[in-house]
Amino acid sequence: MYKIKTGKFLDRLPFARVGGGIDAILIINGGQGFMMRPETSRLRRDASRLGRILPDGRSFVLLGYDPKPGDVSVSSIADDIAEIIDNEFGGRCQLVGVSYGAVVAANVASRFQHRVSRLALVAGGYDFSPEGRHRLRRQAELARSGQSARLLQEFSSVFRRPWFNFLLKLRIRLNARKITGRLSSPATVCRYLDAMLAYRAGDHQPEAEGPDVLVVLGSRDQFFSRPSVLYPRVKIAVLEGETHMAPVERPADVKAILSSFLDSRP
């Protein structure tokens, strides 16, 4: 693993850069990027974990979320990312979105097609499934009512392996005060969840001249389902029997799929 450098883009968006190659992959973090405060140690851990599913030898930048957002929408987040691609990536890059970040990445690629050479959506898609939206609404309700411990418990059934879920539940139970102390403010969590609940991906569908797209998800994903509409130039890789945590439970398989897609010639 390369040395990890942390900083902020646009003076407010935290990032962790792994490696220094000029062809760095830009990754938009999942919901943990705004659920938890963007401490440097957390960014480093997230970057190290994501490094396990990316092509060997490729540098990448993991992008988080504004920890003190004002009015926020999926489109406004995408606007910031387009500016970052212009300023930091020479105007064009390979873009990967994870979970919540996948929806944002898809919006970037549909609205700013010339800035994205390839798009990979990992444990995600163009929009959340009906079940996923129900889970987001539930999370927003818990955050708004200050039920931090119950909010954390919402994530204790997302693994395929029962003992992974058991260990997560046990960790939350034993360290509830410490973990909840690291959560972002309820207002911040709600702003990002509400932004996604207000979003409709159908207003920003990819066009034929857009980038090649890869969707990687488990067949039992609790937040996303296989896209019902096959958009132009899309490959879909479904990991049978896997849940939303497929990148954690099947990192070698996800890495092989992503490597073949990101490292192949257009």
Side-chain angles (χ1 to χ4, degrees), residues 4 22 45 69 72 74 76 80 98 128 166 187 193-194 214 216 224 227-228 232 236 239 254 260 262-263 266:
I4 301 176
I22 60 174
R45 286 197 301 272
V72 64
V74 170
S76 69
D80 286 340
V98 181
F128 281 81
F166 171 78
L193 292 176
D194 289 344
L214 171 69
V216 185
F224 294 89
S228 58
I236 301 176
L239 297 172
V254 174
S260 176
L262 296 174
D263 283 350

Side-chain angles (χ1 to χ4, degrees), residues 2-266:
Y2 295 106
K3 181 178 179 181
I4 301 176
K5 174 186 176 182
T6 59
K8 291 182 180 180
F9 290 138
L10 307 179
D11 295 324
R12 52 191 171 80
L13 299 180
F15 73 86
R17 182 186 294 273
V18 180
I22 60 174
D23 62 341
I25 301 165
L26 177 58
I27 305 173
I28 307 174
N29 207 353
Q32 71 270 20
F34 61 80
M35 284 279 186
M36 309 300 290
R37 295 200 307 268
E39 299 169 347
T40 299
S41 58
R42 168 163 289 279
L43 272 173
R44 291 178 181 275
R45 286 197 301 272
D46 286 349
S48 295
R49 187 183 69 253
L50 286 167
R52 300 170 192 161
I53 65 171
L54 295 173
D56 290 331
R58 292 290 301 275
S59 58
F60 65 91
V61 175
L62 174 62
L63 181 65
Y65 299 86
D66 187 342
K68 297 180 180 179
D71 293 335
V72 64
S73 66
V74 170
S75 293
S76 69
I77 301 171
D79 290 341
D80 286 340
I81 293 168
E83 184 175 351
I84 290 168
I85 294 173
D86 279 345
N87 295 342
E88 308 292 339
F89 291 82
R92 187 172 172 85
C93 71
Q94 292 183 335
L95 184 62
V96 175
V98 181
S99 187
Y100 187 106
V103 181
V104 177
N107 184 274
V108 174
S110 64
R111 293 174 53 226
F112 306 100
Q113 294 180 13
H114 64 285
R115 290 181 171 91
V116 181
S117 58
R118 291 203 167 182
L119 173 69
L121 310 179
V122 180
Y126 298 101
D127 202 351
F128 281 81
S129 65
E131 179 186 356
R133 285 182 166 270
H134 173 75
R135 287 173 176 263
L136 293 187
R137 282 191 291 271
R138 173 67 175 165
Q139 292 169 17
E141 290 169 1
L142 292 172
R144 235 182 297 274
S145 60
Q147 300 183 66
S148 300
R150 294 185 65 183
L151 175 60
L152 289 172
Q153 289 291 341
E154 288 288 302
F155 301 96
S156 62
S157 61
V158 292
F159 288 98
R160 170 176 57 81
R161 293 177 174 86
W163 64 277
F164 274 24
N165 290 319
F166 171 78
L167 289 176
L168 181 57
K169 289 178 182 178
L170 183 62
R171 182 188 174 200
I172 292 172
R173 183 177 301 173
L174 294 177
N175 301 283
R177 181 172 297 181
K178 181 178 179 181
I179 297 174
T180 56
R182 293 175 176 169
L183 286 170
S184 295
S185 71
T188 293
V189 172
C190 288
R191 282 192 179 103
Y192 284 109
L193 292 176
D194 289 344
M196 190 60 69
L197 288 168
Y199 180 65
R200 291 296 179 269
D203 297 334
H204 303 285
Q205 294 184 6
E207 298 179 5
E209 64 270 23
D212 289 341
V213 181
L214 171 69
V215 179
V216 185
L217 75 166
S219 63
R220 296 168 51 204
D221 192 298
Q222 301 96 328
F223 292 89
F224 294 89
S225 56
R226 182 185 177 117
S228 58
V229 177
L230 295 181
Y231 296 103
R233 300 170 66 178
V234 175
K235 298 178 181 179
I236 301 176
V238 177
L239 297 172
E240 290 299 329
E242 295 299 334
T243 65
H244 191 61
M245 300 306 289
V248 176
E249 299 194 73
R250 295 269 295 276
D253 293 322
V254 174
K255 177 176 181 174
I257 294 167
L258 280 176
S259 297
S260 176
F261 177 70
L262 296 174
D263 283 350
S264 63
R265 293 183 179 275

